[in-house]
Amino acid sequence: MSIVLAALATTALLRASPASYPGTWASNLDYPPEAIRLSQRGTASFLVLVSPQGKVASCYITQSSGVPELDKRTCVLLSVRASFKPAADENGQPVYDTYKGSINWRHMDRPNRSLAPKPELDDTDFELQVAKLPNGLQQQRVVVIVRMDTSGRVAYCEHHPQTAASPQLAAVACAQAKAGYVSITKDAADQPISVIRSLHILFKAAAG
């Protein structure tokens, strides 16, 4: 299948970003007493759904710390303290977004020590094989920003402004994402929503 490469438009989609310093979201003062007594520790990875108002609409643990109470405390703290600058769609309207991170629960003698969440990189969403890549590369990772509609399909797509991939590769990634990528996001009421997110595409050059 041949794909016509085209330059992408100036960035229009805007991802949600922390409106408050993440270091204020959790500290050792929030450590569950029972977890301290039992010397329990671990890293809780999370995903929060950010509402168009910049609030945490829902929180999910994507990888457990191994301690249920630490997992629970992670989402409780994020729901209460985390705030964001809302995402915006291609028309500048506020829209849902997601934010990934992790809290490394390690209790020390410093009660005010921050447990600032660390942003987490997304995994590869899908792979594309091409005849060849620029500069003789065997593979290249491309990141695009998309707006998924309520049916879970890509309604709008553009090159991520902070990635080094060429606009031409991003255009191919967007075309393929619109053609076949589907992922439905739901709110806390289990209703499908339109959401901004990043897609990570791994391009691989054909062998030989």
Side-chain angles (χ1 to χ4, degrees):
M1 175 173 60
S2 64
I3 301 172
V4 177
L5 303 183
L8 296 183
T10 303
T11 299
L13 300 177
L14 181 66
R15 297 297 309 270
S17 60
S20 56
Y21 174 52
T24 63
W25 296 353
S27 77
N28 271 341
L29 292 173
D30 301 304
Y31 223 101
E34 184 68 5
I36 296 175
R37 188 181 70 82
L38 297 174
S39 298
Q40 293 176 322
R41 58 178 59 189
T43 299
S45 297
F46 63 83
L47 181 146
V48 295
L49 180 64
V50 181
S51 76
Q53 293 75 40
K55 304 296 184 181
V56 173
S58 54
C59 175
Y60 308 93
I61 297 298
T62 56
Q63 184 170 337
S64 174
S65 65
V67 183
E69 185 59 30
L70 295 181
D71 293 346
K72 179 181 178 181
R73 186 62 59 93
T74 296
C75 277
V76 167
L77 292 173
L78 291 171
S79 297
V80 172
R81 296 181 185 167
S83 60
F84 296 84
K85 298 175 183 177
D89 66 14
E90 64 273 22
N91 298 311
Q93 296 301 307
V95 67
Y96 283 96
D97 197 349
T98 57
Y99 181 87
K100 288 183 177 181
S102 63
I103 294 182
N104 186 12
W105 291 95
R106 296 286 188 275
H107 190 268
M108 298 181 180
D109 293 333
R110 292 174 293 158
N112 292 320
R113 185 178 72 93
S114 171
L115 298 173
K118 297 180 179 180
E120 291 194 341
L121 297 176
D122 290 311
D123 297 326
T124 298
D125 292 289
F126 61 90
E127 296 182 2
L128 289 175
Q129 189 173 71
V130 294
K132 63 180 180 178
L133 286 167
N135 303 316
L137 294 174
Q138 291 303 303
Q139 61 182 37
Q140 185 169 5
R141 187 179 176 92
V142 174
V143 183
V144 295
I145 305 176
V146 300
R147 178 176 63 81
M148 312 296 294
D149 63 22
T150 55
S151 70
R153 295 190 174 276
V154 176
Y156 190 90
C157 178
E158 64 187 21
H159 187 194
H160 194 296
Q162 296 179 353
T163 61
S166 70
Q168 288 77 16
L169 277 182
V172 173
C174 281
Q176 293 300 297
K178 287 181 178 179
Y181 186 80
V182 179
S183 178
I184 297 175
T185 300
K186 296 183 178 181
D187 62 14
D190 203 36
Q191 296 300 308
I193 56 174
S194 181
V195 64
I196 305 295
R197 60 163 296 187
S198 296
L199 288 183
H200 294 243
I201 300 93
L202 182 63
F203 281 81
K204 290 185 175 181

